[in-house]
Amino acid sequence: MISSVSGRYRETFLDTVPGFKEFHLLRGPSTEEYTLFASHSVWESREAFEDWTKSEAFRKAHANAGGSRKDIYLGPPQFEGFEQVI
């Protein structure tokens, strides 16, 4: 799976991860200072998601996160997890 932000593409490696269902990159409000983005993924279970965060696929997908492009970020990503209740 490949995601794109402003024409930049990066391999997410999610298509091969057990328990992965879907991914969406959401663009939020923009100002002169920033554009807010959020990634939204759906997993079969919390365990499947946690297993992915410990996997080689996760390490590969995030190998360059923030490293070479710190100038375009306001700060580090903030993780917020949600579980479906209905």
Side-chain angles (χ1 to χ4, degrees):
M1 172 175 292
I2 298 175
S3 64
S4 169
V5 179
S6 302
R8 294 193 60 192
Y9 293 88
R10 116 178 141 87
E11 181 68 46
T12 65
F13 302 99
L14 288 170
D15 291 342
T16 62
V17 177
F20 170 74
K21 289 185 156 189
E22 59 187 81
F23 173 84
H24 303 278
L25 182 63
L26 309 172
R27 182 176 32 225
S30 289
T31 70
E32 289 184 17
E33 297 174 336
Y34 66 85
T35 300
L36 182 63
F37 286 91
S39 60
H40 174 252
S41 58
V42 178
W43 296 83
E44 287 180 3
S45 66
R46 180 185 197 103
E47 181 180 76
F49 170 76
E50 290 174 355
D51 288 347
W52 170 68
T53 66
K54 300 169 189 167
S55 72
E56 180 64 23
F58 181 88
R59 283 187 288 283
K60 286 179 6 183
H62 295 88
N64 296 320
S68 63
R69 296 302 316 254
K70 288 185 179 185
D71 60 317
I72 67 170
Y73 297 107
L74 293 175
Q78 302 292 318
F79 175 76
E80 297 179 76
F82 298 83
E83 293 184 27
Q84 183 173 342
V85 294
I86 297 179

